[in-house]
Amino acid sequence: AEERASVALRGQTVEAAEREKELIQTAIGAARAFGAVAPDIRDDADVCAELFGRFVDETEDVVFAGYIDGDGHMRCTSVRVSMNFAASPVFQDIARNPRLLVRLNPRGPISDLPVVIVTVPVVGPDGAFDGAISISVEHDPQTAGPRSAGDVEPFELVTFNAAGELLTASLG
């Protein structure tokens, strides 16, 4: 019985981690694709809202998508909201050192929900930083972890990003 419980526990852990991984990978892939077109559409709020809005509407658990220009202004979004991230330490960090960022925000600045935010830099034709695509995936701590099965007790699942920062937790 103990071996069966151990196998079930490993299976639940893999299943829960795979779901988190798939959601994040979907957001990363979409952000990279949007990064290729965002500089061309960023000045047309209607096209931005249509493109990003359709992605949000059609992608499970995605609650926001938008383009932050190289100066930190976000005018091209799924929800027709403008924000200035120029003073944000996260934006300043990615502008200085462009790279993929995945982080947990217990209260997303636009969705007001707990979200995992995927941020992918946009690089212009000259190789210079030209902004970032930001996609928010809803993180519900009540449903993030696996459920009990058979004689295995429910357990908590936590994930971390490459920097060792807490990314998701099913324990709230």
Side-chain angles (χ1 to χ4, degrees):
E2 190 174 313
E3 178 64 26
R4 190 174 71 235
S6 177
V7 169
L9 180 63
R10 280 192 301 266
Q12 285 183 328
T13 302
V14 167
E15 182 181 320
E18 278 299 312
R19 173 141 167 69
E20 295 282 338
K21 179 181 168 186
E22 287 173 10
L23 289 170
I24 292 168
Q25 285 179 327
T26 296
I28 292 169
R32 288 182 173 149
F34 285 134
V37 298
D40 297 330
I41 65 167
R42 67 178 161 202
D43 295 326
D44 189 332
D46 291 333
V47 171
C48 288
E50 171 67 22
L51 182 67
F52 286 121
R54 190 173 339 135
F55 170 70
V56 169
D57 291 344
E58 295 177 5
T59 309
E60 183 180 3
D61 295 323
V62 172
V63 296
F64 174 80
Y67 169 70
I68 306 167
D69 69 23
D71 294 324
H73 296 85
M74 180 183 280
R75 296 182 198 94
C76 182
T77 71
S78 58
V79 294
R80 296 183 188 261
V81 170
S82 296
M83 290 189 75
N84 186 346
F85 290 96
S88 160
V90 173
F91 177 78
Q92 291 174 0
D93 179 42
I94 198 170
R96 277 191 310 273
N97 184 16
R99 68 199 180 289
L100 168 69
L101 293 177
V102 180
R103 66 199 186 288
L104 177 67
N105 189 327
R107 189 172 175 186
I110 295 179
S111 67
D112 205 32
L113 297 168
V115 290
V116 173
I117 301 175
V118 172
T119 306
V120 174
V122 175
V123 178
D126 60 355
F129 177 75
D130 194 21
I133 300 294
S134 180
I135 296 179
S136 297
V137 179
E138 185 173 8
H139 172 66
D140 181 356
Q142 304 307 315
T143 61
R147 305 289 166 245
S148 66
D151 53 0
V152 178
E153 291 294 317
F155 61 95
E156 308 299 340
L157 177 72
V158 292
T159 56
F160 298 89
N161 64 15
E165 300 163 332
L166 177 66
L167 189 56
T168 63
S170 62
L171 48 105

